[in-house]
Amino acid sequence: MGSSSYTEDDFSTSAFDPSTFSVQELVKLAAPDFSIPQPFVRINQQPPSLSVTTPLPPTIDLSRLLLEDDHQNLELHKLHSTCQDWGIFQLVNHGVSSSLLEKLKHEVEEFYRLPLEEKLKYKIGERGWEGYGRRMRADGKYDWVDTLNIITNPLHRRSPHVFPQLRPPLRSTMECYLSELQKLATKLIGFMGKALKIKEKEMMELFDDGLQAVKMAYYPPCPHPESVMGLIPHSDMTLLTILHQLNGVDGLEIKKNGLWFPFNVNPDAFVVNVGDIFEIFSNGVYHSVEHKVTCNKERERITVTFNLSPNFEAEVGPSSSLINAGNLPLFRRVGMKDYFKQFSTLKVYGKKYLDYMRIQPSENGD
């Protein structure tokens, strides 16, 4: 990658090496209207709906949830119905300072300004998930994005070659951000449990010292955005995801009633979405949202995503508070390790893994 430009030979089946390739670098060095390399080309994508009245989920105000009056009750009801009907919402007045978010934006942008050789010091291992780069999808294709994936909790699971080796300004800023997001996630999960009428102890045990991960994502501009995907259609396999869109460039799309709709992000909001584990835990009361990322023709999009899941010793299954003779479990129960292992083995897209976890009528004795 030390050459001044990419050639067609760089993308032949034999020559293309995803472990040392950067989409950002390609866009920087290639001619303005270059051909999309075949490993990234995806055809027959379902376009967004052209409906004049694009549906949007309600915005949730954390400051109202924190009040101890009728305003809290109203906001809690809105949170509950939004998680049921949408599985995604924008969160305002979230309590994370604008100065910290500005610092985070600066440090993430600085990371992506580093020479490729510097970023490749953190490259994903042969069989790993953590690090800089990309993994091939089951269809043999790659997403139009350069990511840095980091496991941040439990501390003993942090890869020694990624988080501890980040440049000190980025590492310390990320530590502050993670501390704030952990507190925010605790509040949100507490309110969601309250709305579901799940015992607080059971709710807190679900994610106590749970698996937490951060993904920094850089989606370069693309001359033919209809030919690529920034992120393929999927629902998050996690408990909860909190996304911060750093630079005001949209690209997120969500699926509702079989149609795709653009999701325009409020610059002062976080985007929070229910993960598959939460849909399972709520026994289908809440719904994880299927979503994808499209690319912009002229501008890059930069995001930081915080993912929260139960700890590795926990079980993934419906809450015992919700199961009774009149409300049978809709999903099977498995250990967290097996949950992740099965997901990696099946390599499914959309919400198919959630369907795999669903109990068939014959399993309930019907």
Side-chain angles (χ1 to χ4, degrees), residues 281-334:
F281 185 69
S282 71
N283 205 34
V285 177
Y286 288 172
H287 292 100
S288 61
V289 63
E290 189 173 351
H291 53 286
K292 64 180 179 179
V293 173
T294 58
C295 295
N296 191 289
K297 191 169 186 176
E298 297 169 350
R299 297 185 61 192
E300 75 268 23
R301 177 174 183 259
I302 309 174
T303 61
V304 174
T305 306
F306 175 78
N307 293 301
L308 182 69
S309 297
N311 67 66
F312 269 110
E313 307 309 315
E315 281 194 325
V316 175
S319 164
S320 58
S321 300
L322 301 177
I323 302 304
N324 53 54
N327 188 34
L328 296 175
L330 300 178
F331 300 93
R332 66 190 68 191
R333 183 174 294 277
V334 299

Side-chain angles (χ1 to χ4, degrees), residues 216-236:
M216 291 164 38
Y218 182 97
Y219 303 90
C222 180
H224 305 286
E226 72 286 350
S227 300
V228 301
M229 274 193 186
L231 198 57
I232 59 170
H234 69 289
S235 57
D236 293 343

Side-chain angles (χ1 to χ4, degrees), residues 15-282:
F16 178 65
D17 181 2
S19 69
T20 58
F21 181 80
S22 162
V23 187
Q24 179 187 7
E25 209 70 11
L26 166 67
V27 173
K28 188 193 302 180
L29 299 174
D33 194 28
F34 60 89
S35 298
I36 305 299
Q38 278 304 310
F40 296 89
V41 173
R42 284 196 170 95
I43 57 175
N44 301 322
Q45 297 183 44
Q46 186 179 352
S49 170
L50 298 178
S51 168
V52 177
T53 55
T54 300
L56 284 173
T59 295
I60 304 300
D61 188 334
L62 182 63
S63 65
R64 291 171 67 90
L65 282 172
L66 294 170
L67 297 172
E68 295 185 2
D69 57 14
D70 289 341
H71 291 295
Q72 185 198 60
N73 294 332
L74 289 170
E75 204 68 15
L76 191 65
H77 176 74
K78 186 163 74 164
L79 173 66
H80 185 60
S81 61
T82 302
C83 291
Q84 286 179 298
D85 298 338
W86 291 90
I88 189 169
F89 55 89
Q90 300 199 58
L91 185 73
V92 295
N93 295 319
H94 44 66
V96 181
S97 72
S98 57
S99 60
L100 175 57
L101 295 179
E102 273 301 314
K103 197 171 180 183
L104 179 69
K105 177 178 183 290
H106 173 76
E107 294 303 334
V108 173
E109 289 177 339
E110 284 296 299
F111 174 83
Y112 281 107
R113 288 192 188 106
L114 290 173
L116 180 58
E117 290 74 16
E118 286 295 309
K119 288 179 286 199
L120 287 176
K121 290 178 181 178
Y122 311 101
K123 74 176 181 178
I124 298 173
E126 193 173 325
R127 285 191 172 84
W129 170 85
E130 267 194 283
Y132 172 80
R134 76 214 71 259
R135 303 294 294 180
M136 185 173 69
R137 299 294 186 178
D139 61 359
K141 298 290 185 177
Y142 296 88
D143 297 337
W144 192 259
V145 62
D146 292 336
T147 62
L148 180 66
N149 295 299
I150 310 168
I151 292 175
T152 56
N153 197 73
L155 297 181
H156 69 270
R157 288 192 175 272
R158 289 186 176 183
S159 171
H161 90 282
V162 185
F163 196 87
Q165 301 302 320
L166 292 176
R167 293 166 59 250
L170 174 58
R171 190 174 66 244
S172 61
T173 301
M174 190 64 79
E175 288 279 22
C176 293
Y177 182 68
L178 288 170
S179 175
E180 293 298 307
L181 266 284
Q182 286 167 352
K183 289 184 278 189
L184 176 60
T186 301
K187 291 174 187 172
L188 278 176
I189 288 173
F191 284 123
M192 292 162 81
K194 183 178 180 180
L196 286 164
K197 297 181 172 54
I198 294 175
K199 296 171 185 173
E200 184 178 2
K201 184 173 182 289
E202 184 183 2
M203 206 73 214
M204 293 303 115
E205 284 176 351
L206 179 68
F207 71 98
D208 182 44
D209 201 27
L211 180 65
Q212 296 170 17
V214 168
K215 181 174 81 170
M216 291 164 38
Y218 182 97
Y219 303 90
C222 180
H224 305 286
E226 72 286 350
S227 300
V228 301
M229 274 193 186
L231 198 57
I232 59 170
H234 69 289
S235 57
D236 293 343
M237 64 179 296
T238 58
L239 184 69
L240 201 70
T241 299
I242 303 176
L243 177 139
H244 176 42
Q245 188 166 275
L246 267 68
N247 65 337
V249 177
D250 287 320
L252 181 63
E253 292 186 7
I254 59 173
K255 198 172 191 178
K256 178 72 170 172
N257 299 326
L259 298 173
W260 287 100
F261 295 96
F263 191 100
N264 298 317
V265 180
N266 176 342
D268 296 321
F270 288 147
V271 179
V272 182
N273 62 279
V274 174
D276 290 345
I277 293 177
F278 218 129
E279 179 164 344
I280 293 168
F281 185 69
S282 71

